[in-house]
Structures are given as C-alpha cells and as structure tokens.
Amino acid sequence: MPKQKVSEQFILIESMKLFRRKSYHNTSMADIAAACGLLKGSIYHYFPSKEALMKEVIEHMHDFFNKEVFCYAYDSKLNPQERMEAMFKASKKIYLSDEGGDVLGNIGVETAIVIPEFADQIQKFFLDWLKALENVYLQITQPYEAKLLAEQTVTEIEGAVMLTRIFKNPKYLIEANKRIKDRFASFMIAEAERLNR
Amino acid sequence: MPKQKVSEQFILIESMKLFRRKSYHNTSMADIAAACGLLKGSIYHYFPSKEALMKEVIEHMHDFFNKEVFCYAYDSKLNPQERMEAMFKASKKIYLSDEGGDVLGNIGVETAIVIPEFADQIQKFFLDWLKALENVYLQITQPYEAKLLAEQTVTEIEGAVMLTRIFKNPKYLIEANKRIKDRFASFMIAEAERLNR
Amino acid sequence: MPKQKVSEQFILIESMKLFRRKSYHNTSMADIAAACGLLKGSIYHYFPSKEALMKEVIEHMHDFFNKEVFCYAYDSKLNPQERMEAMFKASKKIYLSDEGGDVLGNIGVETAIVIPEFADQIQKFFLDWLKALENVYLQITQPYEAKLLAEQTVTEIEGAVMLTRIFKNPKYLIEANKRIKDRFASFMIAEAERLNR
Amino acid sequence: MPKQKVSEQFILIESMKLFRRKSYHNTSMADIAAACGLLKGSIYHYFPSKEALMKEVIEHMHDFFNKEVFCYAYDSKLNPQERMEAMFKASKKIYLSDEGGDVLGNIGVETAIVIPEFADQIQKFFLDWLKALENVYLQITQPYEAKLLAEQTVTEIEGAVMLTRIFKNPKYLIEANKRIKDRFASFMIAEAERLNR
DNA sequence: GATGAATGAGACTTCATTCAT
DNA sequence: GATGAATGAAGTCTCATTCAT
C-alpha cells in the first residue's frame, strides 16, 4: 500500500499559493499536483473537484484569519490600539508574503464572478473582517461611525492590495496602513479628550 | 456593401460588458459573438484574436477615460472643486452602469496576471488616472501631499469598486465618493485660510 | 456596373504560382484573391470552388505543355535531336521559373492525394508527357526501349525537381538535363552506326 | 499503472502511415487518434502538438534508414556490390509497403514547404542518403563521379517513387532499381578492368 | 462584377475528471 | 493511495463558401 505523500493541508497551502499568483483559471489541476509533487489524478483523492478545492482554500483562509487575525479584535486583554496593532502585524505577513499576492481580495473578486457559490463564502469572509474592525472602532467612537470606519478600512486595504499588485510595488499597501493607523490615532485622541472633559 | 450586422465599436462594447461581468476567462468568443448576434467565427473579421480584442477593450476604456473623465483635471475654465465634481460625475455613469461592473480595476487585476502585455496597458491607465488627480490636488496643496492624495483616492475608489462588487451593493462606492469629496473640501478650506493669512 | 478587374486567365496564373510555391493546402482563397488584387468573394465569380480552380490550373498547365512543349515531339520539320532540344528549351522556362517550383510533379503528388479526382488529371498529364518522349525516342531506337527511355526521362526530371526543391538548389535539375541529353546523344550515335552498317 | 492502450511507437507508426497516405494537411489529429483507437485529445499525452508529432515521424524514419539501410554503405564486411544489394533490399520493404507510400520523398516536399523547420530535417535525411551512396560509389570510381552517381541514384529513386504513386503502379520503382543496379555493375566491370591493366 | 460580412464546419489544443492497475 | 492514460467537453481559431448590397 502506497504511503501518503502529502497532507490535505499541504495541498491546500500549495494551491492557495498558485491561485493567488496565477488566478483560479490559470491554475490547472496538473499545476497544483506538480506543486505538491503529485500527479494530476492524485489530487482527487483529497478533493473531489477543483471547485471544491477552491472552496476549501477560501474557507481555510477565512479560518486562518478568524483565528490569527480577527481574534485580536475581541481580545479583552488588549486596549483598542493594541488590538489594531496586533491585527495589522498578523495580517501583514500574509499580504506581503508570496510575491505580494493578496488574500481574498483579488482572488475574491475573480472567484466571486466565476462561480456564484464562491460569492457567498467571499462575502462571509469580508463580513467577519468588517465586524472585527467595527468592534475595535466601537471602543473609540460611536456605532454608526465605527461601521463607516470599518468599511473605509477594508476599502483602503483592498484597493491598496490591488494597486500593489498592478504596479508590483508594495508602497500602496504601506501607505494605506499608515493612513489607517494615523486615522485611528486621531480618533483615539479625540476619544481621550472626550473622556477627559 | 454586404449587410453589416455589427460595428467594431459594438463588439468592443459588448465584449467589455461581458469581460466586466464574467471576467476574461469566463467569457468565450462564442459568448461575445452571441451577445453581438453573430456566430463564433465572425468576431474574427473584426479582431484577430481574443487577446487583441481584450487589448482594444482596455485601450478603448483608457481612451474613454482620457477624453471623458481625466480631461476635466486639466480644464482651466474650472476651479479645483469643479474639476473634481466633473470627474466624479463623468465616471459615475461608468462605475455604476452595467451591473456595477468596474472599469479597469477588477478586470485589470485578473487580466494583468494572465497576460503580461496586458499589465503594461493597465498600468498606463492607472498612471494617467493618478496624474490627473495629482494635477487637481496640486491646485490646493503641496506636491508631495498631492501625490499621496491622488494615490489614496485611486486606492479608495478601487477598493470600493471591489466591495461594491462582492456585496452587490453600491454603498461602498457612494461612501468612498463622499469621503473623497469631504477630504477635498477640507483641503480647500485649509488652502483658503492659508491664502487669507 | 463595375468593370472586370481581372481575367480568368490571370487568376489561373496567379493561383498556379501560389499553389506551386505554397502548396494547395497552404494557399487560401484569400491569398489567391489578394494576389489578383481582389477580395475573397470575387474569385467565386470566376470559379465555383477552390477545387474547381485547382482542376483548371492543372488543365491549364496540361494544355500549355501540350501546345508549347509536347508538340515538338511530333514536329516533322525537326529531326529527333532538334525535337528533344526544343522540348527542353520550352520546358526549362517553366521548371526554373518562379522560385524553382515545378509544374505538375510535386503539386501533382500532393494534389493527387488530396482529392481523388485530381489524380486522373495528373495521370493524363504524365501520360501525354510519356507519349511525347516515347515518340521521340522511337525515332532512334526500338519500341520497347523507347518506352523505357521515356519513363526514365520523366523519372529523372521529376526526381530532380524534388531535390531541387528540397535543397533549394537547381543543380539537380541541371545535372538531370545533362544526363538525359548525353544519353540521347549516345543513342543517336548508336542508331547512326546501325544505319551506316 | 493504468490501462495503456497504445505506445508512443505505435502512434508514431500509425501517424506515419496516415501522413504518407493522405499528406500532412489532410490528416487530422482525430484521424490519427482514430487509427490508434483513441480520441482526439489522447494523442496529446504522447506528443505535444501535431507539428512535434510530424517531426518525430520524420526523425523516426531518418533513424530507421540510418540503422537499417544506410548502415550497409559502411559495412566493411561487404564488397561494394553487396553493400548496394543490402541497401536495396532493406529499403524495398519500406518503399513498397503500405500502399506504395514513399518515405521522405513526397512527404518531404509537401512538408518542407509547410513548416520551415521541417525543411532542415528533410534535408538532413537526404544528405545522409547521398553520403551513404557516395561512400559506396567511391569504392568503384573517382570522387567526383561518385558524388554525381549518388545524386543520380537518389534522383531516380525519388522520381520513381513519385510516378509509382501517381500511377499506383510499382513498375517505375522496379525499373529504376534495375537501371541503378545495371549502372553499378557496369562501373564495377570498368573498375575491374582498370585494376587488371 | 465586386464586395466583405457572415456563416459553419472542422481543425488544433487544453483540461477537469475518471478509472483500471 | 498513487498513477497517468484516456476521456470528452469546450475553447480558440481558420477558411471555403454564401449572399445582400
């Protein structure tokens, strides 16, 4: 009986990399298999179809973000600023890893278009992201404002990911991060003043 | 002359719509032909290949933006605020037309990945956009600031286009527009105060 | 009423050149039209199909050879040697014209394979050629020998055309001509000796 | 291992037959697949393209001739006559096999026209053939003569293949073989006399 | 007669997927 | 579990042919 050459996890990671770098369409099952040291047919022992594999990739990223990034938004041991910092730090290693490929931003859009069922998953990811940010902003401002700030933050990051990709230049992402932090700081100060009064 | 069912322009427009809605890869030449009331092979009377067609679509959009949107940035008959307003107004009908498809944002990213030569064209589009915005911001602030503001503006719009797409909800774009306008107004006021002093 | 831009003859000649240079399959109706200063559809005013056009090309060449080359084989005003010389001279301008393209040799083989009906025509051409040569050789040798010599002559010329084409070097044809002439001369001498006895 | 219906060799042979019988252009990948009991797409497991397949067919024939035919020209255990005999015998089974299709003669010409890269390969085949024959003739005559005789021999065989094909009658090839042998014999005798003197 | 847009069959090719080994 | 040959649908593209103008 042949031994298992790879793990499901491994295939997930490798295919994620490929999807990010080359897009869903430009990545063939053979590419994925090759990246895993397998041959075409073998992927099907782990995932029933390319579509299913993609769905698990999305879910895997979603889980990862929930556990490694978004969680800090709810970490009562941290103050608001520390929560933001922690999220930034955790996500940065993802955004800037692997040739600047983003996570669910660009993949998301391409993918959401391709197969309707992907759209739901992608939306859920962004909803969790928005909710996490909103939760942090809620600590320093009013509910309506917090929601808008969360939306603005996601908007800027996703736009920056796109420009970073198009120009192959990370500065857009770096600038966006800076703006978000500065904005956060100014809200912190305003809130501090409000409380001081 | 034989019965001409379609014009090159018409094919360009129809394929642009499809590329926007379904992405480059998910749009087949047969789809495009069908959208034009033609059969597969007939598209090849107008464009030598799918790739060439895509390139012309991109160029067409670029031209369109140059002539209908970016031009206002250099219109000396308008004051800075009017220039921004004019650009917003002109672009809005594009962003929000046709199922909320964006212009060169999402197409751009997918496409830039697929075929290297697309990347150049896409970059050029964004460079013209950035230059136009920078030119307007230059009227109300310092050069370095103007450049950053231009980048922020494009970043926000592109991110908003993406979220609008993912959630099929135009509010992200509307909010982004509002933020950009407000930011612009605050710079206008600051500049006015500086001059008053 | 539009005037006739070209003659049927003209199209025949131009398509013959193309077929010789690029082969039947690699020559499109558009190529032929372009060579004639026309557009695709217009060829169909003169010839009902590509196949029919090819057939007329073959027939045209056959006629041409009958009238301009093979005729000398039966010209009672010439002696055997003069007949051979005349045929050589007349055919040379064809063999060596137009980038060394042959006449019905290589086209013939390709074409005979493609469409069975071409095969008949091609055979008829070669039969007339063989008959003409046989008739000349009959003047200087016995019937059986004459037939073999005719066959050898056609064989050598066609093989030489092929090699000339493959190596893009006319020497094979030149050498073949020389051999044929020498062989003819030696038969002339033998015949003269026989008569002298 | 999965059920392997065919081998690379098998596809090579089958496609060679088809190319010979129907020419390169008239043979579709579907034809080849069908001849192998496969479906269109399956051929691509063995050969990346039709062109590549053709190149391997040519190479395969070239190799075959080198190993099975031309080799006798250099076999020091044989005298000149035996070398010629061996080459004839070995090649005959190819020339006359399979509906009288030739080897690289007619295919060669058609193919050399179609794709320039084929031309090189075809030339190389003929160069090896010429070289082999020249080597044999060198044993019985002077260098210049040997070269001419080699060229004549190839010329005659190729021309004979063509006529055999056109008339679907092997007699042209048989006659050519006879002439070549007789010519060889007469040179042998001349050489023997020269040495006797 | 000339045009050239449109057709539609068919070619080459790719690739997700299946399955016998 | 792994293989990789085979499948078959679908995609891009070519081209002989038709026909309204």
Side-chain angles (χ1 to χ4, degrees):
Chain A
M1 63 234 95
K3 63 165 61 139
Q4 198 160 332
K5 284 172 95 171
V6 303
S7 70
E8 202 168 301
Q9 272 280 321
F10 181 67
I11 295 175
L12 229 42
I13 303 293
E14 294 305 312
S15 49
M16 183 190 72
K17 286 187 201 166
L18 287 170
F19 287 148
R20 264 155 55 155
R21 179 146 40 94
K22 309 203 307 170
S23 88
Y24 180 73
H25 275 102
N26 278 86
T27 302
S28 71
M29 290 301 262
D31 290 338
I32 294 168
C36 298
L38 296 174
L39 287 173
K40 272 163 58 164
S42 306
I43 302 293
Y44 290 85
H45 286 290
Y46 300 87
F47 301 95
S49 70
K50 188 182 179 186
E51 189 180 324
L53 172 55
M54 182 48 150
K55 280 189 187 166
E56 294 217 28
V57 165
I58 297 172
E59 190 155 326
H60 179 258
M61 300 216 78
H62 193 160
D63 281 356
F64 178 87
F65 267 73
N66 272 336
K67 279 187 212 126
E68 304 285 333
V69 181
F70 302 158
C71 58
Y72 292 114
Y74 308 98
D75 187 336
S76 53
K77 292 197 297 287
L78 304 176
N79 69 36
Q81 193 142 20
E82 288 164 344
R83 295 186 191 188
M84 277 303 261
E85 287 291 346
M87 288 173 73
F88 265 116
K89 218 172 131 191
S91 65
K92 205 173 295 180
K93 61 184 164 198
I94 297 157
Y95 285 118
L96 296 177
S97 71
D98 232 46
E99 309 142 50
D102 78 316
V103 198
L104 284 171
N106 305 153
I107 281 190
V109 170
E110 188 215 345
T111 308
I113 296 169
V114 176
I115 301 181
E117 257 196 275
F118 289 171
D120 272 4
Q121 279 186 283
I122 305 277
Q123 280 185 15
K124 277 181 191 133
F125 169 82
F126 280 98
L127 285 172
D128 275 354
W129 190 3
L130 288 166
K131 213 174 65 183
L133 287 170
E134 194 178 340
N135 188 267
V136 179
Y137 283 119
L138 259 180
Q139 322 267 324
I140 58 166
T141 186
Q142 305 309 309
Y144 179 68
E145 189 83 45
K147 191 171 162 61
L148 285 180
L149 280 169
E151 288 169 0
Q152 182 178 8
T153 302
V154 173
T155 296
E156 278 202 87
I157 291 176
E158 284 303 305
V161 165
M162 183 178 284
L163 287 177
T164 282
R165 191 105 201 239
I166 286 170
F167 287 109
K168 301 191 209 306
N169 185 343
K171 81 167 176 182
Y172 300 95
L173 208 33
I174 293 164
E175 285 173 8
N177 275 0
K178 188 175 177 326
R179 283 195 299 269
I180 292 163
K181 275 185 201 168
D182 291 349
R183 199 183 307 128
F184 190 86
S186 71
F187 270 89
M188 284 285 279
I189 291 165
E191 177 68 2
E193 280 171 3
R194 199 180 62 80
L195 293 175
N196 269 356
R197 254 178 285 141
Chain B
M1 278 151 290
K3 44 169 184 179
Q4 181 154 357
K5 282 171 105 171
V6 304
S7 70
E8 200 168 301
Q9 274 281 319
F10 180 68
I11 295 176
L12 227 42
I13 303 293
E14 293 305 311
S15 49
M16 183 188 72
K17 286 188 202 165
L18 287 169
F19 286 147
R20 264 153 56 153
R21 179 145 42 92
K22 311 205 303 172
S23 86
Y24 180 72
H25 275 103
N26 276 86
T27 302
S28 72
M29 289 303 260
D31 291 339
I32 293 169
C36 298
L38 297 174
L39 292 182
K40 273 193 306 192
S42 306
I43 303 293
Y44 291 85
H45 281 285
Y46 299 89
F47 302 95
S49 70
K50 189 182 177 185
E51 188 180 324
L53 172 54
M54 182 47 148
K55 280 189 187 167
E56 292 217 28
V57 164
I58 296 173
E59 190 156 327
H60 180 259
M61 301 215 80
H62 193 161
D63 282 355
F64 179 86
F65 267 71
N66 272 338
K67 278 188 212 123
E68 306 284 333
V69 180
F70 302 158
C71 58
Y72 291 116
Y74 307 98
D75 187 336
S76 54
K77 294 196 298 284
L78 305 176
N79 67 38
Q81 192 142 20
E82 286 165 345
R83 294 185 191 188
M84 277 303 261
E85 287 291 344
M87 287 173 74
F88 266 116
K89 218 174 133 190
S91 65
K92 204 173 297 181
K93 61 185 163 199
I94 297 157
Y95 285 117
L96 297 177
S97 70
D98 231 44
E99 308 142 49
D102 81 315
V103 197
L104 285 173
N106 305 154
I107 282 189
V109 171
E110 186 217 346
T111 308
I113 298 169
V114 177
I115 301 182
E117 257 196 274
F118 289 171
D120 272 3
Q121 278 186 285
I122 305 276
Q123 280 186 13
K124 277 182 192 133
F125 170 81
F126 279 98
L127 285 174
D128 275 352
W129 190 3
L130 287 167
K131 213 175 65 182
L133 287 170
E134 195 179 339
N135 187 267
V136 179
Y137 283 120
L138 259 181
Q139 322 267 324
I140 59 166
T141 186
Q142 304 309 309
Y144 179 68
E145 188 84 45
K147 192 172 159 62
L148 285 179
L149 280 169
E151 287 169 2
Q152 182 178 8
T153 302
V154 171
T155 296
E156 277 203 87
I157 290 175
E158 284 303 304
V161 165
M162 184 178 284
L163 287 177
T164 283
R165 190 102 201 243
I166 286 170
F167 287 111
K168 300 191 210 305
N169 184 342
K171 82 166 174 183
Y172 299 95
L173 208 33
I174 293 163
E175 283 173 8
N177 276 0
K178 188 174 176 326
R179 283 195 299 271
I180 292 162
K181 275 186 201 166
D182 291 349
R183 197 184 309 130
F184 190 87
S186 71
F187 270 87
M188 285 284 279
I189 291 164
E191 176 71 0
E193 279 171 4
R194 196 179 63 80
L195 292 176
N196 269 356
R197 254 179 285 142
Chain C
M1 60 233 95
K3 63 164 63 142
Q4 199 159 334
K5 284 171 96 171
V6 304
S7 70
E8 201 168 301
Q9 272 279 321
F10 181 68
I11 295 175
L12 228 42
I13 303 293
E14 293 305 312
S15 48
M16 183 189 72
K17 287 187 201 166
L18 287 170
F19 286 147
R20 266 158 49 157
R21 179 147 40 95
K22 310 204 304 171
S23 87
Y24 181 72
H25 274 103
N26 277 86
T27 302
S28 71
M29 290 302 262
D31 290 339
I32 293 168
C36 299
L38 295 174
L39 288 173
K40 271 162 61 163
S42 306
I43 302 292
Y44 290 85
H45 287 290
Y46 300 88
F47 301 94
S49 72
K50 190 182 177 185
E51 189 181 322
L53 172 55
M54 183 48 149
K55 281 189 187 166
E56 294 217 27
V57 165
I58 297 172
E59 190 155 328
H60 179 259
M61 300 215 78
H62 194 160
D63 282 356
F64 177 87
F65 268 71
N66 273 337
K67 280 186 212 126
E68 305 284 332
V69 181
F70 303 158
C71 58
Y72 292 114
Y74 308 98
D75 187 337
S76 53
K77 293 196 299 285
L78 305 175
N79 68 37
Q81 192 144 19
E82 287 165 344
R83 294 185 192 188
M84 277 303 260
E85 286 291 346
M87 286 174 74
F88 266 116
K89 217 172 133 191
S91 66
K92 204 173 294 179
K93 62 184 163 197
I94 297 156
Y95 284 118
L96 296 177
S97 71
D98 234 45
E99 308 143 49
D102 79 315
V103 197
L104 284 172
N106 304 154
I107 282 188
V109 170
E110 187 215 345
T111 309
I113 296 169
V114 178
I115 302 180
E117 260 195 272
F118 289 171
D120 273 4
Q121 280 185 285
I122 305 277
Q123 281 186 14
K124 278 181 191 134
F125 169 83
F126 279 98
L127 286 173
D128 275 354
W129 189 4
L130 288 166
K131 212 174 65 183
L133 287 169
E134 195 179 338
N135 188 267
V136 180
Y137 283 118
L138 260 179
Q139 322 267 323
I140 59 167
T141 185
Q142 304 310 308
Y144 179 67
E145 188 84 44
K147 192 172 160 63
L148 285 179
L149 280 169
E151 287 169 1
Q152 182 178 8
T153 302
V154 172
T155 296
E156 277 203 86
I157 291 175
E158 284 303 305
V161 165
M162 184 178 284
L163 287 176
T164 282
R165 191 102 201 239
I166 286 171
F167 287 110
K168 300 190 210 308
N169 184 343
K171 82 168 175 181
Y172 300 95
L173 208 32
I174 293 164
E175 285 173 9
N177 275 359
K178 187 173 176 327
R179 283 195 299 270
I180 291 163
K181 275 185 201 168
D182 290 350
R183 197 183 307 129
F184 190 86
S186 72
F187 269 88
M188 285 284 280
I189 291 164
E191 177 69 2
E193 279 171 5
R194 196 181 63 82
L195 293 176
N196 271 353
R197 253 177 287 145
Chain D
M1 277 149 290
K3 45 167 185 184
Q4 181 153 358
K5 285 170 101 171
V6 304
S7 70
E8 201 169 301
Q9 273 280 321
F10 181 68
I11 295 176
L12 227 42
I13 303 293
E14 292 305 311
S15 48
M16 184 189 72
K17 286 187 202 166
L18 287 170
F19 287 148
R20 264 154 57 153
R21 178 147 41 94
K22 311 204 305 173
S23 87
Y24 181 72
H25 275 104
N26 276 86
T27 302
S28 73
M29 289 303 260
D31 291 339
I32 293 169
C36 298
L38 298 174
L39 291 182
K40 274 193 305 192
S42 306
I43 302 294
Y44 290 85
H45 280 285
Y46 300 88
F47 302 94
S49 70
K50 188 183 178 185
E51 189 180 322
L53 173 54
M54 181 48 147
K55 281 188 186 166
E56 293 217 28
V57 165
I58 296 172
E59 191 156 325
H60 180 259
M61 302 216 80
H62 193 160
D63 281 356
F64 178 87
F65 267 73
N66 272 336
K67 278 185 214 126
E68 305 285 332
V69 181
F70 302 158
C71 58
Y72 291 116
Y74 308 97
D75 186 337
S76 54
K77 293 196 297 284
L78 304 176
N79 67 38
Q81 192 143 20
E82 285 163 346
R83 294 185 192 189
M84 278 303 261
E85 287 291 346
M87 288 174 73
F88 266 117
K89 217 172 135 192
S91 65
K92 205 173 295 180
K93 61 185 163 199
I94 297 155
Y95 285 117
L96 296 177
S97 71
D98 230 45
E99 309 144 48
D102 80 314
V103 198
L104 285 171
N106 306 154
I107 281 189
V109 171
E110 186 217 346
T111 309
I113 298 169
V114 177
I115 301 181
E117 256 196 275
F118 289 171
D120 272 5
Q121 277 186 285
I122 305 277
Q123 281 186 14
K124 277 181 191 133
F125 169 81
F126 280 98
L127 286 174
D128 275 353
W129 190 3
L130 288 167
K131 212 174 64 182
L133 288 170
E134 195 179 337
N135 188 268
V136 179
Y137 283 119
L138 260 180
Q139 324 265 325
I140 58 166
T141 186
Q142 305 309 309
Y144 179 68
E145 188 83 44
K147 192 171 159 61
L148 285 179
L149 280 169
E151 287 169 2
Q152 181 178 8
T153 302
V154 172
T155 297
E156 277 202 86
I157 291 175
E158 284 303 304
V161 165
M162 183 179 284
L163 287 177
T164 282
R165 189 104 202 242
I166 287 170
F167 287 111
K168 302 190 209 305
N169 185 341
K171 81 167 176 182
Y172 300 95
L173 208 33
I174 293 163
E175 284 173 8
N177 275 359
K178 188 175 177 325
R179 282 195 299 270
I180 292 163
K181 275 185 201 167
D182 290 350
R183 198 182 309 131
F184 190 87
S186 72
F187 271 87
M188 286 282 279
I189 292 164
E191 176 70 0
E193 280 172 5
R194 196 180 63 81
L195 294 176
N196 270 355
R197 254 176 287 143

